[in-house]
Amino acid sequence: MSKSLLEQTPGETVACCSPLTREPLSADQAERIAPLVKAIADPVRLRLLSLVASHADGEACVCDLNDAFDLSQPTISHHLKLLHEAGLLDREKRGVWVYYRVDATALGDLAALLGGVTR
Amino acid sequence: MSKSLLEQTPGETVACCSPLTREPLSADQAERIAPLVKAIADPVRLRLLSLVASHADGEACVCDLNDAFDLSQPTISHHLKLLHEAGLLDREKRGVWVYYRVDATALGDLAALLGGVTR
DNA sequence: ACAAGACATAGATATCTGTCAATATCGACG
DNA sequence: CGTCGATATTGACAGATATCTATGTCTTGT
C-alpha cells in the first residue's frame, strides 16, 4: 500500500517518482524533493556527507568532522542538523560522542531521480 | 590530458570526481560542485528541468514553460538563466522563440556523483 | 556533587535568493 | 520604419541562509 503524497517524507517521494527526465514533475513532487536537494546544495554539507560516507565503518564522530573545517563547532553542528533533518544522515549518541552515518537509501533515491536509474 | 581543477567547469569537475561516498571531497571540489547542485535546489527549477527534459523532441520553448507556472515571465526567465549558467540547459534562439534543451551529460555527471555510477 | 568536555540551541547579523513591476532588446511583419 | 510579441535585464524588496558568540544540556571522571 502506498501513502498519499501528503503523508510521505521527502525521501519516500523521491523513491516513488519517475526520473526527472521521463515525465514532468508535479508542483507537489517538486516542493517535496527540493528540500532534499537543498540539503546538499552547500560545499560544507557536501564535504560533511562525503566525509561521513567514506569514513571507516561508515560513521564519523562530530569531533572528527569539526577538525576538517575552519568553521566554528556550532556551524558544523548546524549543517549536520540540516543533513539529518533531510534524512540523509542518521544520528546516534554513544556516551559523550555523537556519530553520524549516511542513509544510503535517501542518497540513492536522489541519484535515481536525476539519472534515471531504477532501483 | 586533464585540465587543472581551476580550469575545469563545474560539470567537468563532477565528471572527474569519485562518487561522494567513496572518498572525501576536497574543499576545492566541494566549492565547484555546490553551484551545480544549487542550480537544481529549487522546486521551480526542478520542474523546469523536468518539463524541458520530458518535452517532445527534448526541447521546450520558453512560451510553453511560462504557462506551466503561476509566476511572472521574468521570474521564469531568471530560473532558466541559472540552469543555463550551471550548464544544465542549452539555449537556442530560433526566430522570435528561445528553446531550451537538457544537457544530459551534466545531469548524468551529477547523478554519478551522488550514486556512484561510473559512466 | 563538581568540573570538564562534547555537542546542541539561541540570538544576532550580513549576505544570498526568489519574486515582482518596469523597461530594454531583438526579430518578424505589415 | 514602426509596431507588436517574445524574451531578457534591471532595480527593489522580503524572506531565507550561513556564520558567529554566548549559553545550555548531558555524560563522564574525580
Side-chain angles (χ1 to χ4, degrees):
Chain A
M1 60 144 231
S2 81
K3 303 177 187 175
S4 89
L5 264 184
L6 287 174
E7 294 174 309
Q8 295 175 342
T9 66
E12 286 171 340
T13 302
V14 172
C16 87
C17 299
S18 298
L20 257 196
T21 55
R22 202 169 307 157
E23 57 175 319
L25 237 43
S26 74
D28 265 0
Q29 290 172 328
E31 295 284 349
R32 224 161 258 290
I33 295 169
L36 206 54
V37 182
K38 261 189 227 282
I40 59 168
D42 177 277
V44 174
R45 292 196 291 273
L46 276 173
R47 286 184 65 202
L48 280 171
L49 201 59
S50 80
L51 276 169
V52 171
S54 60
H55 207 266
D57 301 323
E59 66 180 12
C61 169
V62 176
C63 53
D64 297 328
L65 301 173
N66 278 323
D67 297 343
F69 296 85
D70 258 357
L71 292 171
S72 70
Q73 173 265 319
T75 297
I76 300 300
S77 184
H78 167 70
H79 286 302
L80 287 170
K81 182 183 187 180
L82 292 186
L83 287 167
H84 176 58
E85 287 173 349
L88 291 167
L89 286 185
D90 292 332
R91 188 177 178 282
E92 189 189 348
K93 182 162 188 173
R94 294 209 296 273
V96 178
W97 294 281
V98 172
Y99 293 87
Y100 284 92
R101 171 179 295 275
V102 168
D103 182 325
T105 303
L107 199 57
D109 287 345
L110 250 185
L113 175 84
L114 299 180
V117 179
T118 315
R119 293 190 309 123
Chain B
M1 70 156 229
S2 80
K3 302 177 188 175
S4 87
L5 264 183
L6 288 174
E7 295 173 307
Q8 295 174 341
T9 66
E12 285 170 342
T13 301
V14 173
C16 89
C17 299
S18 298
L20 257 195
T21 56
R22 202 168 309 156
E23 57 175 319
L25 237 43
S26 73
D28 264 1
Q29 290 171 328
E31 294 285 349
R32 221 162 261 290
I33 295 168
L36 206 54
V37 181
K38 262 187 224 284
I40 59 168
D42 178 276
V44 174
R45 293 197 291 273
L46 277 174
R47 285 185 66 203
L48 280 171
L49 201 59
S50 81
L51 276 168
V52 171
S54 61
H55 207 266
D57 301 323
E59 65 179 13
C61 168
V62 176
C63 54
D64 297 328
L65 301 172
N66 278 323
D67 297 343
F69 297 85
D70 256 357
L71 293 170
S72 70
Q73 173 265 320
T75 296
I76 299 300
S77 184
H78 171 245
H79 286 302
L80 287 171
K81 183 183 186 179
L82 292 186
L83 288 168
H84 175 58
E85 287 174 347
L88 292 167
L89 285 186
D90 293 331
R91 190 178 177 280
E92 188 188 350
K93 183 161 188 174
R94 292 207 298 272
V96 176
W97 295 281
V98 172
Y99 293 87
Y100 284 90
R101 171 181 294 276
V102 168
D103 182 325
T105 304
L107 199 57
D109 288 345
L110 251 184
L113 175 85
L114 300 180
V117 178
T118 314
R119 290 191 308 124

